[in-house]
Amino acid sequence: MPRTRRARAALLLASLVQTNGFYLPGVAPREYQKGEHVEIKVNKLSSTKTQLPYEYYALPFCQPEEVVYVAENLGELLRGDRIMNSHYELKMQIPEECKILCRKELTAAEVGEFSTRIEEDYRVHWVMDNLPSATKYVDETNPDKHVTIYDLGFPLGFRGADDIPGTKPGINYLNNHLLLTVKYHTDESFEGSRIVGFEVEPSSIKHAYSGEWKGAKTALSTCAASSAPPLPMQAAGEVIFTYDVKWEHSDIKWASRWDTYLLMGDEQIHWFSIINSLMIVLFLSGMVAMIMMRT
């Protein structure tokens, strides 16, 4: 056997031996202990109107001190996702109510950016334990049988209308308060809890408080008020981002946690993603063909 073939065989054997320590996020289940930190990663903003995605922090959301780009798996890289860390703090099975994320003083230009993206029907996409965020809806068109459907991500905001209390037609409102519902599964075969569902229910609240701003310790008077007015994107001013965390035990096993996403109600064709995927396939095919022709 020539030396070159022997060298290739040795490299192949070495690579096979070293793959025992290789791990792809999302391929193997992860168990969380009670009180353990559960990370939320932000992804992108997408719209079926414009077909043009934006990075999450392209809008003036609350940011951590250092923004770190994270690649979960190969599929997300091929889809052009831009996954980054976030400022949200979650602990396994520890509920939260109206927790303050941050307060921002938005300029008129920043308010205009939010309003424009809301007008263009942009949705926000997050990731938790390699599961994308989803919004749950109940289809009541059939009175005899209500059907639960899911949409990927959650709306950035909504447009006011006569049938939406507290809103004015033609005005865009920002969803600055989020209810995060995390479903987890436990079993005697393993220790801890496995995340099997991640739902987000957005709402718009124009928060108010009395006295001076005390950061996360500020007592908001609009958290428990069901009649709190929504937050319009009209003029420069203060925006307070808040969130609730609810944990629900689920009988869904980790291997079946993706079944929920088969009930997606979004039937729009994402031409930008399709063209992007086709370009990647053609590029990789050309690279493979060139390598085969040279060897």
Side-chain angles (χ1 to χ4, degrees):
M1 180 184 294
R3 291 184 177 180
T4 55
R5 291 187 178 180
R6 290 179 180 176
R8 290 178 181 177
L11 288 174
L12 179 60
L13 289 174
S15 63
L16 290 176
V17 172
Q18 294 177 356
T19 52
N20 292 333
F22 187 69
Y23 167 70
L24 284 175
V27 175
R30 175 179 175 180
E31 291 81 28
Y32 294 87
Q33 305 303 318
K34 185 175 182 179
E36 183 178 353
H37 174 70
V38 178
E39 185 177 14
I40 285 184
K41 299 172 184 176
V42 297
N43 192 352
K44 61 185 177 183
L45 308 172
S46 67
S47 168
T48 56
K49 273 189 175 182
T50 66
Q51 305 293 334
L52 182 64
Y54 286 91
E55 287 188 2
Y56 180 80
Y57 292 125
L59 291 179
F61 288 111
C62 306
Q63 296 188 22
E65 294 182 0
E66 181 182 3
V67 176
V68 180
Y69 290 89
V70 183
E72 285 287 312
N73 54 47
L74 181 59
E76 290 165 354
L77 290 176
L78 293 177
R79 289 197 303 268
D81 293 348
R82 299 287 285 174
I83 300 176
M84 297 162 281
N85 59 328
S86 73
H87 197 43
Y88 288 85
E89 295 182 359
L90 278 73
K91 294 183 179 180
M92 173 58 69
Q93 299 185 37
I94 305 298
E96 300 282 358
E97 290 187 5
C98 203
K99 187 171 184 178
I100 297 175
L101 183 67
C102 78
R103 180 186 69 161
K104 295 188 72 78
E105 289 288 343
L106 299 184
T107 64
E110 291 173 332
V111 170
E113 289 181 13
F114 272 122
S115 181
T116 300
R117 301 297 170 249
I118 295 172
E119 183 80 21
E120 295 171 340
D121 290 340
Y122 268 86
R123 299 182 67 84
V124 183
H125 299 274
W126 288 355
V127 178
M128 175 190 292
D129 194 49
N130 207 50
L131 273 181
S133 58
T135 307
K136 182 171 67 174
Y137 301 95
V138 178
D139 186 1
E140 300 179 353
T141 54
N142 186 355
D144 298 329
K145 184 180 180 181
H146 293 173
V147 179
T148 301
I149 59 177
Y150 291 85
D151 278 347
L152 277 176
F154 57 92
L156 176 64
F158 62 93
R159 194 165 179 80
D162 292 329
D163 57 345
I164 303 178
T167 66
K168 297 181 180 179
I171 303 299
N172 295 319
Y173 295 83
L174 176 66
N175 287 328
N176 61 320
H177 180 79
L178 304 173
L179 169 59
L180 311 179
T181 302
V182 186
K183 299 182 179 181
Y184 63 94
H185 177 72
T186 56
D187 194 84
E188 296 179 354
S189 60
F190 57 85
E191 296 183 359
S193 305
R194 294 175 177 177
I195 295 176
V196 294
F198 179 30
E199 300 174 3
V200 180
E201 181 181 337
S203 58
S204 180
I205 301 177
K206 188 176 182 180
H207 283 300
Y209 57 92
S210 58
E212 297 181 355
W213 177 257
K214 300 178 182 179
K217 297 182 180 180
T218 305
L220 302 176
S221 59
T222 46
C223 284
S226 58
S227 59
L231 179 64
M233 291 288 98
Q234 285 182 293
E238 178 186 70
V239 175
I240 301 174
F241 292 90
T242 56
Y243 63 99
D244 300 334
V245 182
K246 183 171 67 173
W247 300 88
E248 291 184 358
H249 185 270
S250 175
D251 294 329
I252 299 174
K253 295 184 178 180
W254 188 88
S256 303
R257 65 178 188 165
W258 281 91
D259 293 352
T260 301
Y261 297 88
L262 299 177
L263 303 174
M264 289 295 172
D266 186 7
E267 299 179 354
Q268 296 280 354
I269 299 176
H270 297 263
W271 292 109
F272 184 86
S273 300
I274 293 175
I275 295 174
N276 184 44
S277 300
L278 288 175
M279 294 296 294
I280 292 174
V281 170
L282 291 175
F283 175 76
L284 293 178
S285 300
M287 292 289 293
V288 172
M290 291 181 60
I291 294 172
M292 294 181 65
M293 290 176 62
R294 290 177 178 270
T295 55

